[in-house]
């Protein structure tokens, strides 16, 4: 769903992203790690625009180091829209949204 907000171009037969939008993945467990790796390795997202959030900071740091992404402590320094991907267990969605509420702006997309 979030890919609709990104603009893609094809160069050298590979897909490259042309966007300054920040993507935040909230939850760095199995699902969040797979989404982050897929976007970066598939060249759908520049890792400089990927911010990772997890209640286990070590998990977020390890994934960020592996992908060249950022650990998000302050919601990312940004202007404009961000895409927030909730990659947490269904029972943890309310808690995750409560914790991230101050970092989600009206123009943002939450998936």
């Amino acid at each position: 769903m979030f890919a609709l907000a990104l603009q893609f171009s094809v160069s050298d037969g590979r897909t490259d992203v042309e966007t300054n939008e920040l993507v935040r993945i909230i939850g760095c467990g199995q699902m969040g790690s797979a989404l982050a790796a897929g976007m970066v390795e598939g060249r759908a997202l520049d890792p400089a625009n990927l911010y990772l959030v997890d209640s286990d900071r070590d998990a977020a740091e390890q994934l960020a180091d592996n992908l060249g992404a950022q650990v998000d402590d302050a919601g990312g320094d940004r202007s404009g829209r961000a895409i927030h991907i909730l990659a947490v267990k269904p029972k943890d969605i309310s808690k995750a949204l409560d914790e991230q509420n101050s970092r989600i702006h009206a123009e943002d997309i939450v998936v």
Side-chain angles (χ1 to χ4, degrees), residues 1-2 12 15 32-33 38 45 50-51 59 63 66 69 73 77 81 83-85 92 101 106:
M1 283 189 260
F2 68 89
D12 300 325
T15 302
S33 296
L45 180 67
L50 177 61
Y51 286 76
L63 183 58
N66 290 342
D73 292 319
D77 188 19
R81 182 171 63 183
I83 301 167
H84 307 266
I85 301 172
D92 297 327
N101 189 42

Side-chain angles (χ1 to χ4, degrees), residues 53-72:
V53 179
D54 198 277
S55 57
D56 177 0
R57 184 175 172 80
D58 290 339
E61 286 177 349
Q62 182 176 6
L63 183 58
D65 288 345
N66 290 342
L67 299 176
Q70 323 300 314
V71 175
D72 190 348

Side-chain angles (χ1 to χ4, degrees), residues 24-40:
R24 295 178 74 238
I25 295 182
I26 303 164
C28 295
Q30 295 289 331
M31 183 172 34
S33 296
L35 287 168
M39 285 188 282
V40 171

Side-chain angles (χ1 to χ4, degrees), residues 7-17 39 42-45:
Q7 300 172 352
F8 294 95
S9 68
V10 176
S11 68
D12 300 325
R14 297 189 67 179
T15 302
D16 294 314
V17 70
M39 285 188 282
R43 296 183 62 178
L45 180 67

